[in-house]
Every structure is written in structure tokens, then in C-alpha cells.
Amino acid sequence: MIRKTAFMFGASATALFAGLVTLSAQQTVAPASLTPTPEPMPQVLQNYSVVTADRLRKPEDGNWLMFRRSYDGFGFSPLDKITPDNVARLVPVWSFATGQTEGHQAPPVVNNGVMFVATPGNQVIAVEARSGNILWRYKRPIPEDMQLAHPTSRGVALFGDKVFFAAADAVLVALDARTGKEVWTAKVEDYQKGYYMSLAPLVADGKVMVGSSGGEFGVRGFLSAYDAETGTEVWKSFTVPEPGQPGSETWPQGDQWKTGGGSIWITGTYDPDTNLTFWGTGNGGPWMGDQRPGDNLYTSSVVAFDGKTGKIKGHFQYHQNDSWDWDEVSPPIVVDFQRDGRTIKGLVNVARDGYLWHLERTNDRINFVAGQPFVRHNVFKGVDPKTGRPDIDEARKPGTNKTAEFCPGLWGGKDWPPAAFSPRTRLIYIPANENLCTELTGELPKPYEPGQRYTGFSRNVMKIVEGADHIGELQAWNVDTGKREWTTNMPGMSQMWGPVLATGGGVLFAGGTNDRMFRAYDAKTGKILWEFPMASGVTGVPVSFQVDGQQYIAVQSGWGVDSARMQARLNLLFPGKYQDVPQGGSVSVFAVKGP
């Protein structure tokens, strides 16, 4: 049996513990004296603000209620009290250790002074956002027999008086926001078959939506939705069609669709006007495309799902028959843009395949508008100007017992860390990795066994372009012109794994480098305005919130998962160049000191 814990912190609990340990065996105490006076609920929890559908659709400027703050995925806070002129006076207000190691990637979600933080280790912590006082902590043990390839969490969702958490063992958990106690749990899939979860849920149309990771284990990807009040599954839609379903003709005959991949790793975006939600999907399984001939829909794609029924209403596949491990799990930003003198209801995605894609969303289709590389690229000779289908250089495509070298490498031009968009500058801000390539050799995988690796490669070598003087970059692209405005190179040949926050004050925030720095940048020029050394590297999603008129910046630090794995590869390329990045997670909040 899996046991869960949720407990409040306070003086009475401490006093009770102290009293118990002083009792002798000869003392007799009436049972009533062992019953502590109930700890009063902190005022900030008593005043907890219920999260409504209207609030999710139009969040107040001072709150951060979901993964990227708003359904459109901008990663933008309208708060404007922190500016290029005063950001140098940013100082830490409070910080605490989470008690966990590995990659801390979740945003601190804030609702009117109450912060909720998800960490590795199946943990959710509620915090008073102004003071840093811990209000409650929830932990769900991870099964000992679980294969967890990416031990992280990317956050929680809020709705009503509940906090929704996608536990690693493929269980969706609803917690009481005031107490941290479980309200209900719903089994999403069987972890013993290789399914696990790492994303933040998305609440839309009264439903809690989650997808499952596990593409390394031969799973079949899906998105499912649950009733927010009861946890009852409302619908489940697979990203790999079974025979007879639309798209099944893009798979070989047989049972390969059952282990076809197409995992969902990152929280989707949503258009309330059409009730369509947009999610990125992983690559096909096993890795080598020649083992599953065809385009393999709907892998390495953006897929539009109907929020009410889960029906697939449109898709765009960024590259067909993926053989590069370029899973396209980041969802597109929902933003209207100008092109050729007209306004396009758009979707813009910064893809792992190294291309910046401009698409058009409609009620029943996703149309191609434009695509161009944002990092060095040698796989696509170009894309069809009407359909967006890439023209592949087959010499750059690995296969079974075939070696190919390709750029960008398998971690792509940008991995999972989300880009940001500012409606004030009209710029998209991209945490990119340039000058990295991969030499990959495929092989037949071992026969499929539930819960075991099912990838199919024998050799995987990272390479760097000769003469390269940097790797990580922060780029800015104009969403209307499709042109790059500026690029800031990361120091010391560091990679860039930092999710980006854009703010109304014209300042960007991101970590992502192996020097542990959390940085502020000028949103118009990319100039570094401020930096602060954290306890560990920063791969967490930064947020901004406001309490009592004060604007704050919050972020988790905690190096691990793919950023650490890339660092290990870089150490093979440059022996002795990189110091180890300290492990251990923490939550930190900053504010401007002085008037």
C-alpha cells in the first residue's frame, strides 16, 4: 500500500512532540491530555481565494495561477514595478530548501498570497508567499519498483479550492488547497508499463487535463481529462491512432501503434474562444524511423484537442518519421501575428528540431504559415512553402545499423524549457543551444517488454561545431516580421536550460547556466542587468507576483535531469573545464530594495 502524508506546521505540533518525549513509562495520562489543541489555520489560508474559470481566463496581474500564468502560454507578467532602471537593486527576500535533489523545474504558482511549489520526489509545498513560512507539505512515496527516467515535476494547477498534482507514478491527485489533504486520486495509467508523469496539469472547460511521459519505454501517448470535482475520467484521446482511425494509414501494418510513442511531457495551451487545447507530442518509438515506415501521426506534432470531447480537431507535424529523438513536447504559444498585411490567428512554436514555426489555428485545422531555423541546421534542406513539410537530407538521418551526424543534436535547438512572449515588445524570447550536434547509430531494440527501455540505438555521441566560441544563447525574435532582433551568448561555454519570464517592466528573467547564476536581461536589447548566484543551477520556471503592492520574482533552483546529463557530455568534450554543479533544491523570492 502507498501511504501519503500531508501535515501542517506550527507551534502546537512542536509542543506536542516535546511533551510526548518527556513522558516516562510509569506515568499515566488520560487520553484527553494527549489530544492537542487544534492548530489554528493561518489567516492567509482562511482567506484563500477560490479559483474560478473566469479567473483562469483573465488572471489578475498580481497572480500566477498556472504553468505559464495564462492559457496562451506567453510566460508574461504584466507587473511593471521592476524595470531596467531598478533591477540592479533586486535582493533575496526569503529562501528555503525543499529537501530534494534532481531537477527542480516547476513554477511557484501563486494565488493571492499563497504559493504552491511542486518538486521532485512527489512533493507539493504550500507557502505564505510574502514571508516564506511553510503552511503545509504533501508527499506521495514513489514506488520502489518504478522506472523513472525523468525524476522531476513541472508544477501544479489550481481550480476551485483544490490543487491538482500529476504524481510521478501516473496518478492525478486533488488536494485541498487549505489543508494539503487528499480530496481524490485518479489512476491515469500503470507505472509498471513505463508510464509516468512530469507535467503540470491544465484546467480548462471544468476539466483537469494531463498527459503521460514514458516514450523511452514503448508507451502509447495520450491526453486525458478528469472531472475537477470527482476525479472521474471524462475522455481519453490517444496521440497514436489504432487501425481504422484517422492517421492510422501513416503507420505500418501490425501492432507497432501500440508502442508508438507520442508521449506528452509539457502542459498545453488553450484557446477559450474555440475550446481547443494545443499540446506537443513526443517522437515515435522505437527511435529509428526505418523500423516504423510512414509519417507516424501524431508524433512530433502539435495536436489540437476539443476541450469538451477530446476529439482531435487539427494537427501539424513538424517532421515526419522522426529518427533524431526530436520530440516536440513544447506546446505552441497562442498569439495572433501579422504576416503579408493580414492578421493571422496564430500558433508559434520554438521547436526542438531547431526551427521556429509560425502556424495558423482554425476551428478544424492547423495551417502552415512559415518556418525557419533559429540555430545551425543541416538536416532540413528546406520546407515546402505551402505545407511546411521538411525536405530531409537522408545522409543526416540515422537508421538501423546506420550512423548519421546531425545538427542540432538530439537535445535540439531548444529542449523543454519554455520560451516567453511579451505583448509589449512583440518579441519571442528563446533559450537556445547552438553549435551542438550528435552522431547517432541505430540498432534493433530488444523485444518489447512492458516497463523496460525500448529505444533502439547503439551509439550516441555529442559533438560541437569546430571553432565554436559558445553554446547557450538567449534569442529575441519579432513575432510579426519573423526576424531575429538580438542574441545574448551565455558565458563560459555553458549550455542554456533556463525557462524565460517576460515582465511588463521590460525585464526578462532566466537561469539555465552551469555557473548557477539567475539573471535579469533588458527585454529590448538582451543586455545582462543583474545576476545572483543560486545554491544550485536554475532550470525552474521563474514567475512574478504581487502582495500588498510589492512585486516579487520567484524561482526554484536545483540542477538535474537533462541539464546535468548534457553537462556530463560536455565534460567529455572539454575534460576538466566544468566544475560540478551543486545538487539540492531551493525556492527563492526576490524584490527590489529601496524606493
Side-chain angles (χ1 to χ4, degrees):
M1 173 182 291
I2 296 176
R3 298 182 63 188
K4 285 76 66 178
T5 59
F7 46 94
M8 304 285 288
F9 287 74
S12 293
T14 304
L16 172 62
F17 178 77
L20 287 175
V21 297
T22 60
L23 291 176
S24 70
Q26 288 76 29
Q27 288 175 304
T28 59
V29 182
S33 68
L34 288 177
T35 303
T37 302
E39 180 74 13
M41 180 176 289
Q43 194 66 43
V44 70
L45 289 176
Q46 292 183 42
N47 297 338
Y48 185 78
S49 302
V50 171
V51 177
T52 64
D54 286 341
R55 291 186 66 205
L56 290 177
R57 184 167 182 168
K58 296 181 179 180
E60 304 86 2
D61 289 356
N63 286 319
W64 195 282
L65 300 180
M66 64 178 74
F67 179 63
R68 293 302 279 153
R69 186 182 172 274
S70 50
Y71 280 135
D72 47 34
F74 285 5
F76 172 78
S77 169
L79 297 176
D80 57 8
K81 292 184 178 181
I82 299 174
T83 69
D85 293 331
N86 65 20
V87 70
R89 302 203 308 272
L90 206 65
V91 296
V93 175
W94 58 258
S95 179
F96 70 84
T98 66
Q100 297 292 319
T101 56
E102 266 296 353
H104 284 59
Q105 300 177 351
V109 171
V110 182
N111 177 25
N112 288 348
V114 182
M115 176 184 291
F116 302 96
V117 181
T119 79
N122 264 359
Q123 177 175 241
V124 180
I125 306 171
V127 188
E128 186 175 21
R130 178 173 54 185
S131 66
N133 291 333
I134 295 178
L135 302 169
W136 53 255
R137 186 190 301 258
Y138 169 87
K139 293 196 73 173
R140 178 185 176 89
I142 296 175
E144 293 182 359
D145 61 342
M146 184 174 183
Q147 298 284 336
L148 185 56
H150 292 78
T152 189
S153 171
R154 299 189 177 99
V156 300
L158 307 181
F159 188 60
D161 58 359
K162 299 180 184 64
V163 179
F164 299 98
F165 174 58
D169 46 318
V171 173
L172 179 60
V173 180
L175 303 174
D176 186 300
R178 295 182 178 89
T179 67
K181 295 180 179 179
E182 287 184 1
V183 179
W184 53 256
T185 63
K187 181 178 178 180
V188 176
E189 251 298 350
D190 185 352
Y191 75 84
Q192 293 181 321
K193 295 180 179 179
Y195 291 92
Y196 62 94
M197 295 198 296
S198 57
L199 80 174
L202 176 71
V203 176
D205 192 39
K207 304 173 186 67
V208 187
M209 303 180 192
V210 291
S212 174
S213 306
E216 314 92 338
F217 300 111
V219 303
R220 181 188 180 200
F222 63 87
L223 181 71
S224 53
Y226 299 81
D227 183 275
E229 286 300 314
T230 66
T232 302
E233 183 181 290
V234 179
W235 52 256
K236 185 174 187 178
S237 185
F238 288 95
T239 57
V240 176
E242 64 185 62
Q245 292 181 336
S248 61
E249 70 281 0
T250 66
W251 287 85
Q253 294 183 355
D255 292 338
Q256 285 183 272
W257 58 275
K258 294 180 179 180
T259 55
S263 300
I264 288 178
W265 299 74
I266 306 295
T267 312
T269 50
Y270 177 63
D271 181 357
D273 293 336
T274 59
N275 200 21
L276 293 179
T277 182
F278 306 96
W279 298 72
T281 63
N283 53 302
W287 279 13
M288 296 301 111
D290 60 5
Q291 297 172 19
R292 41 178 168 77
D295 285 358
N296 307 143
L297 290 175
Y298 297 91
T299 63
S300 300
S301 303
V302 54
V303 182
F305 298 88
D306 184 287
K308 183 177 181 180
T309 66
K311 181 180 179 181
I312 293 177
K313 300 295 293 284
H315 75 279
F316 179 79
Q317 191 171 40
Y318 299 109
H319 47 272
Q320 293 72 32
N321 194 238
D322 188 307
S323 300
W324 306 274
D325 190 31
W326 285 340
D327 53 359
E328 297 299 356
V329 296
S330 295
I333 295 170
V334 181
V335 57
D336 297 349
F337 57 85
Q338 302 296 312
R339 194 56 51 100
D340 298 328
R342 70 186 183 100
T343 299
I344 294 177
K345 296 181 74 64
L347 299 171
V348 179
N349 186 41
V350 184
R352 188 164 170 176
D353 66 17
Y355 260 56
L356 177 61
W357 298 95
H358 282 66
L359 309 172
E360 179 184 30
R361 68 186 193 275
T362 73
N363 290 338
D364 55 5
R365 287 182 59 85
I366 297 177
N367 299 317
F368 170 75
V369 176
Q372 60 188 313
F374 64 91
V375 293
R376 182 187 300 267
H377 205 293
N378 64 10
V379 177
F380 299 171
K381 298 177 182 179
V383 298
D384 186 286
K386 293 184 178 180
T387 67
R389 186 182 181 96
D391 179 13
I392 304 296
D393 183 347
E394 293 296 327
R396 300 293 183 179
K397 184 176 181 179
T400 307
N401 300 319
K402 173 190 173 185
T403 300
E405 183 179 307
F406 53 90
C407 311
L410 61 79
W411 273 297
K414 183 192 77 66
D415 202 273
W416 79 268
F421 172 72
S422 170
R424 301 190 182 179
T425 63
R426 301 291 296 171
L427 297 179
I428 293 176
Y429 302 101
I430 302 174
N433 284 307
E434 179 61 288
N435 295 318
L436 292 180
C437 308
T438 292
E439 185 176 279
L440 188 63
T441 304
E443 67 176 3
L444 287 172
K446 296 179 180 179
Y448 170 71
E449 183 179 346
Q452 300 302 311
R453 293 272 179 171
Y454 191 66
T455 51
F457 68 90
S458 60
R459 190 166 179 267
N460 174 7
V461 180
M462 175 187 282
K463 295 191 171 184
I464 190 166
V465 173
E466 185 176 356
D469 62 356
H470 72 282
I471 297 172
E473 298 180 348
L474 183 61
Q475 304 177 1
W477 290 72
N478 187 292
V479 73
D480 298 310
T481 67
K483 297 185 181 300
R484 188 189 303 214
E485 297 283 337
W486 53 257
T487 300
T488 299
N489 295 343
M490 298 299 104
M493 294 294 285
S494 174
Q495 69 270 53
M496 177 54 161
W497 282 86
V500 184
L501 163 67
T503 67
V507 181
L508 311 175
F509 293 90
T513 52
N514 54 23
D515 57 8
R516 300 183 289 115
M517 290 294 182
F518 183 48
R519 292 185 170 91
Y521 303 81
D522 189 302
K524 292 182 179 179
T525 67
K527 179 182 178 181
I528 296 175
L529 303 173
W530 169 89
E531 58 185 20
F532 186 86
M534 305 292 279
S536 182
V538 178
T539 58
V541 176
V543 309
S544 188
F545 65 92
Q546 182 172 285
V547 177
D548 295 336
Q550 175 75 60
Q551 182 180 356
Y552 297 91
I553 305 295
V555 71
Q556 289 200 84
S557 63
W559 196 250
V561 199
D562 285 290
S563 60
R565 295 168 188 173
M566 181 183 278
Q567 173 100 345
R569 295 293 186 90
L570 289 172
N571 274 321
L572 296 177
L573 292 175
F574 304 102
K577 181 176 179 59
Y578 301 105
Q579 295 182 353
D580 288 340
V581 181
Q583 290 288 294
S586 62
V587 183
S588 298
V589 169
F590 301 85
V592 170
K593 181 180 180 180

